[in-house]
Amino acid sequence: MIKITRLQKPTILERKGNEWTDELCEARQQYYKDLIKFQRGRFKRRPQYPRALKSRYAHQGIKRRLQKMFGHKCVYCESPVTVVSYQAVEHFRPQSIYPKLAYEWSNLLLACTVCNSGFKRDQFPLMDGCSLEENRDEPCLLDDSDDNT
């Protein structure tokens, strides 16, 4: 296993991370309100589920910092990311369940797409064995373990 020392947060996340997080959290809250309206027949079309924007969390400045930090190797298989497949910016805690951590520097990793899309996907181990599910009432509410990525 590669020993990793987390580098300083990229400037783009320092400048924009909180704004992007607030925007995603508000969009998720609105989505669940609109979903209820759709289920009650008040909307004809199902609302679109808002996801973290790849152009933001995989910004070149973030990707370069992750490459330097991980030595251009996949966090999971430790293969050089560009030899195995394309490189991906991976969310340790999935952004689909933890939108509050979508742009959190400590939650971002470098992975090859084989590991990220083929194996890890939205899986995340929970100590109590519970299944993963986003809090629909407050999607950006963190539990006691969520701030220790």
Side-chain angles (χ1 to χ4, degrees), residues 95-146:
Q95 63 88 16
S96 60
I97 307 298
Y98 299 96
K100 184 82 172 175
L101 302 176
Y103 303 109
E104 179 60 43
W105 176 234
S106 61
N107 193 46
L108 300 176
L109 307 169
L110 185 68
C112 68
T113 54
V114 172
C115 289
N116 187 36
S117 300
F119 297 109
K120 165 88 172 35
R121 299 183 307 272
D122 280 349
Q123 297 179 63
F124 181 75
L126 296 176
M127 291 178 70
D128 62 5
C130 293
S131 61
L132 236 63
E133 192 170 304
E134 184 175 23
N135 180 335
R136 290 177 173 225
D137 295 325
E138 294 188 54
C140 289
L141 183 67
L142 297 177
D143 66 31
D144 293 340
S145 67
D146 291 335

Side-chain angles (χ1 to χ4, degrees), residues 40-148:
R40 293 180 178 162
R42 294 176 61 196
F43 287 162
K44 291 184 180 185
R45 199 179 316 172
R46 184 180 186 92
Q48 187 173 3
Y49 182 77
R51 299 185 64 81
L53 297 177
K54 185 176 183 178
S55 62
R56 292 177 176 178
Y57 68 77
H59 182 275
Q60 281 302 105
I62 296 168
K63 198 178 281 188
R64 278 194 299 273
R65 187 73 46 97
L66 289 170
Q67 290 166 338
K68 184 176 181 182
M69 191 167 71
F70 289 98
H72 294 268
K73 291 184 178 180
C74 174
V75 67
Y76 300 113
C77 70
E78 298 183 16
S79 296
V81 287
T82 55
V83 171
V84 176
S85 66
Y86 294 105
Q87 60 189 345
V89 174
E90 146 71 350
H91 293 92
F92 181 60
R93 291 178 188 255
Q95 63 88 16
S96 60
I97 307 298
Y98 299 96
K100 184 82 172 175
L101 302 176
Y103 303 109
E104 179 60 43
W105 176 234
S106 61
N107 193 46
L108 300 176
L109 307 169
L110 185 68
C112 68
T113 54
V114 172
C115 289
N116 187 36
S117 300
F119 297 109
K120 165 88 172 35
R121 299 183 307 272
D122 280 349
Q123 297 179 63
F124 181 75
L126 296 176
M127 291 178 70
D128 62 5
C130 293
S131 61
L132 236 63
E133 192 170 304
E134 184 175 23
N135 180 335
R136 290 177 173 225
D137 295 325
E138 294 188 54
C140 289
L141 183 67
L142 297 177
D143 66 31
D144 293 340
S145 67
D146 291 335
D147 59 358
N148 298 320

Side-chain angles (χ1 to χ4, degrees), residues 24-42:
L24 178 60
C25 288
E26 288 171 18
R28 290 276 176 94
Q29 288 172 331
Q30 189 60 51
Y31 165 79
Y32 285 116
K33 289 176 186 175
D34 291 347
L35 183 62
I36 290 169
K37 292 175 184 176
F38 168 76
Q39 291 168 338
R40 293 180 178 162
R42 294 176 61 196

